[in-house]
Amino acid sequence: MSMAEDMSVSLRLPTETLFEGRATRLTAVAENGAFGILPNHVDFVTALVPSVMTLRMADGTEEIFGVDEGLLVKKGHRVVAAVLRGVRGDDLGTLNDTVKAKFIEMDDEERQARSAFSRLEADVVRRFAELRKPQL
């Protein structure tokens, strides 16, 4: 593997890609603590915990994300992180408020979806029970 100055980074949610681009450094938090990855870092896999992930871009700017639990895979010059929930922040000061607002919104949507699924499931069970009744 050749020495690289940057790496391809993809931050994925269950329904969309939150970030796709090139970075010179990534920092995140795993179950055993914070870590950093540079482009030529050894390959590895780790579980992520709810925390802040930062990316240093080639132009020196920084991207900040609030992420929920997930999995990060580093192979070659490519990093893929798959998380349950995530939001992009402008800065650390406002990221906390953004995370709270977005995650509360997602929790409400998940609660509504679970409720609708439960109603559908109950309806299917009721219909199967009706099929088992003897026909007169």
Side-chain angles (χ1 to χ4, degrees):
M1 179 168 39
S2 63
M3 299 297 280
E5 293 185 16
D6 63 2
M7 57 194 161
S8 170
V9 178
S10 180
L11 180 54
R12 298 182 181 161
L13 305 176
T15 58
E16 66 181 298
T17 299
L18 185 60
F19 176 84
E20 186 85 41
R22 304 209 55 89
T24 59
R25 183 181 73 206
L26 177 146
T27 59
V29 182
E31 293 176 334
N32 58 348
F35 65 93
I37 298 176
L38 297 173
N40 299 299
H41 193 283
V42 66
D43 294 351
F44 76 100
V45 175
T46 190
L48 298 174
V49 297
S51 60
V52 173
M53 177 185 288
T54 61
L55 298 173
R56 173 74 60 175
M57 310 313 287
D59 63 2
T61 61
E62 196 169 75
E63 293 283 340
I64 303 170
F65 302 91
V67 296
D68 201 351
E69 59 189 18
L71 189 67
L72 182 137
V73 177
K74 159 75 168 71
K75 183 176 180 191
H77 302 301
R78 182 158 176 74
V79 178
V80 178
V83 296
L84 290 175
R85 300 182 289 190
V87 294
R88 183 180 288 202
D90 296 325
D91 58 56
L92 285 175
T94 61
L95 183 61
N96 187 40
D97 295 334
T98 305
V99 166
K100 283 182 182 176
K102 184 70 172 177
F103 284 12
I104 287 171
E105 176 185 317
M106 289 175 159
D107 284 342
D108 288 342
E109 290 173 359
E110 288 174 10
R111 205 172 2 264
Q112 290 172 358
R114 278 193 299 272
S115 176
F117 183 73
S118 292
R119 287 191 303 273
L120 287 171
E121 186 177 37
D123 187 49
V124 167
V125 169
R126 182 181 52 76
R127 288 176 188 250
F128 273 121
E130 289 173 0
L131 287 173
R132 294 186 68 194
K133 289 181 185 177
Q135 300 295 325
L136 299 176

